[in-house]
Amino acid sequence: GENVEQHPSTLSVQEGDSAVIKCTYSDSASNYFPWYKQELGKRPQLIIDIRSNVGEKKDQRIAVTLNKTAKHFSLHITETQPEDSAVYFCAASTGGSQGNLIFGKGTKLSVKP
Amino acid sequence: NAGVTQTPKFRVLKTGQSMTLLCAQDMNHEYMYWYRQDPGMGLRLIHYSVGEGTTAKGEVPDGYNVSRLKKQNFLLGLESAAPSQTSVYFCASSDWTGNTEAFFGQGTRLTVV
């Protein structure tokens, strides 16, 4: 089955710096790669996603890149702000009849003012 | 439009007791998932369903059973609770492709003593 590895497990940056979180996946059939943000005590919420036919996607200060050949994808946050502090999860899914959405172990991002 | 609702929000069980967690969604989604979240372990998929009447095992299915008799409901059962099942449980749902945003419930904090 699918296996998603996520690094680093913790990341501390100064406000205004950039943050990068990296994930690798094992199943070459995976074709959907979402990123979720979870604030303390709350439910995970989607912040950005990318499909296998796209190499990069950007939404304001966040961007995701995908390298299907190498089976890895990354989340980039620019101009970080204290409210970006949270746990971020990457995930991979094959969709279709398989339907399993597998998550990485998460990255705790701390943005210091 | 409530989205995804989990019942109950908190529960304390004694070892060996049984219980059922209910997940209800009002978005007409085909896919539904049950995850457990433990510190440092991310979100681990327990069971999932790709449509009414279907269920499939995820990454950590042992000790749990599920049923999807109605499209809007996905039930997670613990037949004989163990302390190792102390965790926060999240239900999620997504549309028929499985390759779109998964919406999460608010979580159920379960403690087995």
Side-chain angles (χ1 to χ4, degrees):
Chain A
E2 176 66 276
N3 182 49
V4 178
E5 299 283 343
Q6 182 172 346
H7 299 280
S9 56
T10 60
L11 180 59
S12 182
V13 299
Q14 288 293 134
E15 182 177 359
D17 287 350
S18 294
V20 180
I21 302 170
K22 299 181 178 182
C23 290
T24 60
Y25 62 98
S26 62
D27 190 344
S28 58
S30 290
N31 53 18
Y32 176 64
F33 308 93
W35 286 87
Y36 285 80
K37 176 182 180 181
Q38 186 179 31
E39 296 176 345
L40 190 62
K42 296 190 176 181
R43 71 191 79 187
Q45 291 191 302
L46 181 76
I47 55 171
I48 195 168
D49 57 12
I50 192 168
R51 291 178 175 76
S52 58
N53 58 345
V54 176
E56 184 173 358
K57 184 177 179 180
K58 189 173 182 180
D59 182 4
Q60 298 183 357
R61 294 187 297 107
I62 60 173
V64 58
T65 59
L66 171 65
N67 183 327
K68 284 218 70 177
T69 302
K71 295 184 190 173
H72 67 71
F73 56 114
S74 301
L75 177 71
H76 304 253
I77 305 174
T78 59
E79 301 172 20
T80 54
Q81 301 167 3
E83 51 265 38
D84 294 329
S85 296
V87 178
Y88 291 81
F89 294 97
C90 63
S93 172
T94 57
S97 61
Q98 298 301 313
N100 50 350
L101 181 63
I102 303 298
F103 284 80
K105 288 184 168 55
T107 296
K108 184 176 181 180
L109 174 65
S110 299
V111 181
K112 299 179 180 179
Chain B
N1 188 336
V4 181
T5 303
Q6 293 181 228
T7 308
K9 294 183 175 59
F10 303 93
R11 184 72 185 269
V12 178
L13 282 180
K14 292 183 179 179
T15 298
Q17 286 185 321
S18 63
M19 77 163 295
T20 300
L21 282 68
L22 171 63
C23 177
Q25 52 95 2
D26 61 4
M27 296 173 283
N28 201 35
H29 283 169
E30 291 291 340
Y31 286 61
M32 296 188 76
Y33 315 83
W34 274 108
Y35 293 91
R36 61 175 290 173
Q37 184 171 35
D38 304 293
M41 299 299 291
L43 293 155
R44 292 184 292 172
L45 183 63
I46 304 171
H47 287 280
Y48 63 99
S49 168
V50 300
E52 181 178 317
T54 75
T55 62
K57 294 180 180 179
E59 301 169 279
V60 289
D62 293 344
Y64 305 94
N65 56 75
V66 288
S67 65
R68 183 104 181 264
L69 298 179
K70 293 183 178 180
K71 186 177 182 179
Q72 64 268 32
N73 296 337
F74 195 29
L75 279 63
L76 178 70
L78 287 73
E79 290 188 349
S80 180
S84 60
Q85 294 178 304
T86 294
S87 187
V88 178
Y89 292 84
F90 283 100
C91 175
S93 71
S94 63
D95 79 8
W96 69 276
T97 67
N99 281 1
T100 57
E101 179 176 2
F103 293 86
F104 282 80
Q106 77 275 30
T108 296
R109 184 173 295 276
L110 175 66
T111 302
V112 183
V113 297

